[in-house]
Amino acid sequence: MKFLRLLLAWLLAAVLAGILGSVVQTQFSLAAIAGLGAPVPLDVRLLTTLRDLAGFAPMLVLLTAGGFLPAFLVAGLLLRWWPRRRTFLYTLAGAAALGVILLLMDATLPVTAIGAARSPLGIGALVLAGAAGGLAFARLAPARRAPGVA
């Protein structure tokens, strides 16, 4: 049962980060279009966001889930030395996972596949989406009881 809760926490964390990252990606892309002078009314923003949630978010969820695996494992190992820093470590791990995913994509793909990753602000917003996923994992995953920790 504990393993299933852990698996569900990982999956929900990846879904949350993927959804947030997709919304960030969409809004940054639409802001770039608006910056060129094209009108981007609210209804277009909403429809585009919904379409990206259906089309782009699943790919980002898969990438994020893959990145969260090693990041959360490392955070879990670090908990042995810092058991009272659980929330911080998993939040940091989620942020780091998205940062590494973006760096790997930038290094291996001929173009920036995620438009929001073309600016430091966009990268920061995507990394924050990862942090939100890490925070969700810290809250949802079953915690080990460390000796002397209540």
Side-chain angles (χ1 to χ4, degrees):
M1 188 64 158
K2 188 175 179 179
F3 176 75
L4 287 177
R5 278 191 60 208
L6 187 66
L7 189 63
L8 183 61
W10 165 74
L11 181 61
L12 290 174
V15 168
L16 174 66
I19 287 172
L20 291 174
S22 179
V23 171
V24 164
Q25 151 62 22
T26 302
Q27 298 311 312
F28 269 78
S29 294
L30 292 174
I33 291 169
L36 296 173
V40 185
L42 182 60
D43 63 328
V44 170
R45 285 188 178 275
L46 292 174
L47 183 59
T48 305
T49 300
L50 290 174
R51 286 185 176 163
D52 280 355
L53 286 172
F56 175 71
M59 185 269 305
L60 188 56
V61 167
L62 288 175
L63 287 171
T64 302
F68 278 178
L69 279 177
F72 290 166
L73 286 171
V74 169
L77 290 172
L78 292 174
L79 282 173
R80 294 175 188 237
W81 291 280
W82 297 293
R84 297 180 192 269
R85 301 287 181 242
R86 176 182 165 79
T87 300
F88 171 77
L89 288 172
Y90 283 120
T91 302
L92 181 62
L98 257 287
V100 168
I101 288 167
L102 295 173
L103 287 172
L104 287 173
M105 289 176 76
D106 187 51
T108 59
L109 299 175
V111 296
T112 304
I114 300 176
R118 294 185 184 115
S119 74
L121 185 59
I123 292 169
L126 290 165
V127 166
L128 284 176
L135 177 62
F137 183 81
R139 298 285 190 224
L140 297 171
R144 287 187 187 154
R145 291 225 177 238
V149 177

